[in-house]
Amino acid sequence: MLDLLIKNGLIFDGLSSPAMVGDIGIQEGKIVAIAPGLNIPALEVVDATGLWVTPGFIDIHTHYDLELEIAPGLSESVRHGVTSVVIGNCSLSIAIGEPQMLADIFQRVETISHQLIAKWLQKSIDWQTPTEYLQHLQKLSLGANVAPMFGHSALRAHVMGLERSLTAQPTKIDLKIMQQIATDALEAGFLGISIDMFPWHRMTGKWRGYTIPSQHAKFQEYAMLAALCRQKDRVFQVTPNLQRLSSFLDILRLGSGIGKKQLRLTILSALDAVHQRQLWRIFAPLLFIWNRLLGGNVRFQTLTQPFTIFSDGPVTPLFEEFPTGAELNSCQSRKEREELWQSPGFRHKFCEEWTSNWRKSFHRRLDMIEVVRCPEISWYGLSFAEIARQKQQQPVDLFIDALQQYDTDLRWVATGANDRPIPRLALMRHPYILAGFTDAGAHVRNLGYYDGALSLLKQAVATKFLSPEAAISRVTGEPAQWFRLDTGILKVGAKADIVLLEPHSLHQHISPQVEISDPILDGELRMVKRGSQEIVQAVYINGVPVVSGGKVKDILGKTKLGTVLFPR
């Protein structure tokens, strides 16, 4: 007898095959039969007439490493149909190293909640090696499946000590130890290794304001780690330095495949940036040259919706790219920030840096930055440029006045990329660009893109830029195949990670981000997505219903359902 029989659904296998109406039989967490008109007794029968039956979605770029330790159900992703996540991106992981050191590396880079960090530090760490960390992950009450990358910042700080990892280059012995630990990690089952070159990513704690350890490495160190991934056919994930074009030449050297085994290289990120409107056009020819002419196996990652970021006054990741903004982010209190504003020349220097076009990664256009919340209620919904016109001030002067006067009582929002449909669809359709880069679990006060896969499907239905079969494959079987994960498809013998979708509801627009009071963070506000309740009718992980009627079930995070995914 089957445990579960899903009948009469339109089945998408995740491989772009034509969809078919049929039934799926599930027993002991596995798919045991797929065919029309299955006549097998089952403990539970679900009528999926009129629904799409798809594999669970894969989120290829998350920062759930710390949240998994507190709330392993990952309900914010699962409610949107995500059943597998990749963690350990951007050189950040907790697989090795002293807890406070790891917290200092993580917290500011990903604006992780202080509440979450405090909760994590109170827990005992029962692993000392990457292998033991994987064993630890397997004991958690996982909701979604987890595929961990091994983070270079954690490795470098562990081997060299945090101070040396931020101020010096490794010795030959250091490099040999790093190589051995990384080799052991890949052999134990890590998906690959992640490195980071992005200068926005900075430390908290004693070394606050310093860029994180991975950014202090030189090409030799990166090349050593890339060679390990090439040798073992694992993923090498890179966050490049957008302010230093030579970093792309280094990555190009790492990813070349001429005369040698290919390296699975994935790079953040392919975006249609507001401040450089033609930049998106470079990705297609670059990837053609890289993969077709230079023998590479490279995948960029893109966001499936407009890249909209919320900020709390002067505390925002958008300020990390210029020195005075980074100084404001380094302050630990409103009093410290006020003292900084009052210091000689600071305001003038901030103004100069804000208006400079040198190495700009964010547009800083005050006509495109709107007030979300402020003690001055009449400002709600207006751009700073509009408010400045009303007050007959220069926009940048008004902006600085508001930052100084209202501090984090001022909340503002800006969209920095992917706001134009045509370039966004072109990026999502490109065969060498993966739909990912949600940063789920990070920047909880700044963004919430947990519904990245659903957003792609909505746009496919609305514009027909991809067929439903191809769109579903882009967020299931295709990333699973490239990352070498045993998930993302519906076939006999596969783990029963399944989503039931109401297709007519996919005609909705991309959902806006909203704030909720999150009990995981002891009531702190978190940016999330809602509105998928009508679309996601059910989610099954290991054959167990974890979302039903659009609502998350209590079993999620209390019973082990997901597994640690090792590369095939």
Side-chain angles (χ1 to χ4, degrees):
M1 178 177 285
L2 299 174
D3 297 323
L4 174 66
L5 179 61
I6 300 174
K7 293 187 65 67
N8 304 318
L10 185 63
I11 300 172
F12 296 80
D13 64 4
L15 299 173
S16 293
S17 306
M20 72 168 193
V21 175
D23 307 337
I24 298 181
I26 297 165
Q27 191 170 25
E28 295 181 353
K30 299 283 188 181
I31 296 174
V32 295
I34 301 179
L38 286 177
N39 188 22
I40 306 174
L43 295 175
E44 181 181 1
V45 178
V46 173
D47 184 3
T49 300
L51 300 181
W52 288 1
V53 182
T54 78
F57 305 140
I58 301 170
D59 191 333
I60 62 170
H61 192 100
T62 79
H63 290 282
Y64 272 132
D65 307 63
L66 293 177
E67 188 166 331
L68 275 168
E69 303 297 320
I70 307 300
L74 304 185
S75 61
E76 283 305 326
S77 286
V78 172
R79 69 167 65 244
H80 298 291
V82 174
T83 61
S84 299
V85 301
V86 177
I87 64 171
N89 290 288
C90 300
S91 86
L92 306 174
S93 70
I94 58 172
I96 194 168
E98 187 270 324
Q100 184 61 61
M101 177 188 73
L102 297 173
D104 288 346
I105 294 173
F106 254 93
Q107 187 162 13
R108 181 165 167 179
V109 176
E110 303 303 341
T111 42
I112 301 292
S113 160
H114 289 271
Q115 290 293 98
L116 187 64
I117 292 285
K119 281 186 175 182
W120 181 65
L121 288 174
Q122 289 171 6
K123 295 173 67 71
S124 59
I125 305 300
D126 63 354
W127 64 89
Q128 299 295 323
T129 68
T131 300
E132 291 176 357
Y133 173 67
L134 293 180
Q135 294 168 350
H136 162 78
L137 276 182
Q138 291 172 299
K139 296 174 187 175
L140 296 178
S141 298
L142 297 176
N145 306 303
V146 175
M149 300 284 287
F150 189 50
H152 178 218
S153 280
L155 171 65
R156 192 174 211 264
H158 173 74
V159 171
M160 298 177 65
L162 184 57
E163 180 175 355
R164 285 186 59 235
S165 76
L166 300 174
T167 60
Q169 290 305 307
T171 64
K172 290 183 179 180
I173 294 176
D174 290 331
L175 285 173
K176 187 173 182 180
I177 295 172
M178 275 192 249
Q179 184 179 41
Q180 186 59 58
I181 293 174
T183 299
D184 292 345
L186 295 181
E187 290 178 349
F190 278 81
L191 189 61
I193 296 171
S194 65
I195 69 170
D196 181 81
M197 303 176 179
F198 195 40
W200 289 24
H201 293 164
R202 300 176 188 271
M203 299 283 299
T204 54
K206 178 181 177 182
W207 296 94
R208 63 178 174 170
Y210 276 69
T211 53
I212 60 175
S214 185
Q215 293 185 32
H216 297 271
K218 294 190 181 300
F219 180 79
Q220 177 191 11
E221 192 172 334
Y222 296 142
M224 177 266 290
L225 298 172
L228 290 177
C229 291
R230 188 190 299 270
Q231 175 188 346
K232 298 184 179 299
D233 197 18
R234 302 298 169 86
V235 174
F236 193 63
Q237 187 261 312
V238 180
T239 310
N241 184 349
L242 301 179
Q243 297 180 347
R244 185 171 61 85
L245 293 180
S246 61
S247 75
F248 286 90
L249 297 178
D250 288 342
I251 297 167
L252 183 64
R253 291 165 64 193
L254 292 173
S256 173
I258 295 177
K260 51 189 172 183
K261 187 176 180 180
Q262 287 185 328
L263 171 66
R264 292 178 187 268
L265 175 64
T266 181
I267 305 168
L268 293 188
S269 56
L271 296 173
D272 171 31
V274 169
H275 73 290
Q276 291 181 340
R277 280 308 196 185
Q278 299 304 313
L279 180 64
W280 71 277
R281 296 182 183 278
I282 197 174
F283 295 110
L286 176 63
L287 286 164
F288 176 83
I289 293 169
W290 212 331
N291 287 336
R292 302 294 293 275
L293 303 183
L294 299 181
N297 186 6
V298 182
R299 299 293 185 274
F300 275 86
Q301 299 179 14
T302 193
L303 187 64
T304 63
Q305 49 200 292
F307 192 15
T308 300
I309 300 177
F310 291 77
S311 299
D312 293 302
V315 181
T316 170
L318 295 175
F319 282 7
E320 295 283 28
E321 68 170 337
F322 57 97
T324 51
E327 285 184 75
L328 287 165
N329 278 328
S330 288
C331 294
Q332 295 180 308
S333 68
R334 184 168 186 161
K335 182 180 178 182
E336 280 190 41
R337 288 187 291 273
E338 181 57 36
E339 290 173 353
L340 197 56
W341 284 118
Q342 296 295 341
S343 62
F346 181 82
R347 179 187 172 108
H348 177 72
K349 188 178 179 185
F350 180 94
C351 182
E352 282 189 338
E353 292 173 356
W354 177 264
T355 55
S356 171
N357 288 320
W358 175 247
R359 291 182 170 178
K360 184 166 66 175
S361 304
F362 167 60
H363 59 73
R364 305 183 205 162
R365 288 181 52 179
L366 293 172
D367 62 325
M368 298 181 65
I369 300 176
E370 293 185 356
V371 174
V372 175
R373 193 165 53 244
C374 178
E376 186 62 59
I377 297 174
S378 64
W379 290 10
Y380 282 34
L382 298 178
S383 73
F384 285 102
E386 290 173 313
I387 299 166
R389 279 196 298 271
Q390 291 178 5
K391 293 184 169 291
Q392 297 184 329
Q393 278 186 268
Q394 288 296 316
V396 68
D397 291 332
L398 179 130
F399 182 55
I400 293 173
D401 286 344
L403 293 174
Q404 184 174 357
Q405 181 177 355
Y406 298 123
D407 198 67
T408 56
D409 293 334
L410 170 69
R411 188 155 168 81
W412 51 277
V413 63
T415 297
N418 277 24
D419 55 322
R420 299 185 298 176
I422 291 176
R424 186 172 69 243
L425 298 182
L427 293 172
M428 288 192 293
R429 183 173 52 236
H430 197 283
Y432 296 145
I433 298 176
L434 296 170
F437 182 43
T438 71
D439 267 358
H443 305 298
V444 296
R445 288 284 293 140
N446 306 114
L447 51 84
Y449 296 118
Y450 306 93
D451 65 335
L454 285 181
S455 293
L456 184 146
L457 296 186
K458 286 180 181 180
Q459 292 167 86
V461 167
T463 68
K464 297 182 171 53
F465 85 101
L466 289 172
S467 69
E469 290 87 351
I472 288 167
S473 178
R474 293 240 71 194
V475 293
T476 58
E478 185 178 333
Q481 182 178 28
W482 192 82
F483 279 93
R484 298 175 58 218
L485 299 175
D486 189 15
T487 187
I489 60 174
L490 299 183
K491 66 176 184 178
V492 173
K495 189 166 172 279
D497 298 332
I498 299 171
V499 180
L500 304 187
L501 300 177
E502 209 296 305
H504 298 295
S505 297
L506 283 168
H507 289 278
Q508 298 173 4
H509 293 297
I510 297 174
S511 301
Q513 300 178 76
V514 297
E515 289 180 307
I516 65 164
S517 176
D518 192 344
I520 294 173
L521 308 179
D522 293 343
E524 279 192 15
L525 294 177
R526 180 177 193 153
M527 301 305 299
V528 298
K529 287 294 192 78
R530 292 294 181 263
S532 66
Q533 295 92 329
E534 296 176 3
I535 301 172
V536 181
Q537 291 295 300
V539 178
Y540 298 87
I541 298 177
N542 200 34
V544 176
V546 292
V547 175
S548 181
K551 295 183 179 180
V552 175
K553 298 177 75 70
D554 290 340
I555 191 173
L556 190 64
K558 296 179 180 177
T559 300
K560 179 176 169 55
L561 301 172
T563 60
V564 178
L565 296 174
F566 300 112
R568 295 194 303 263

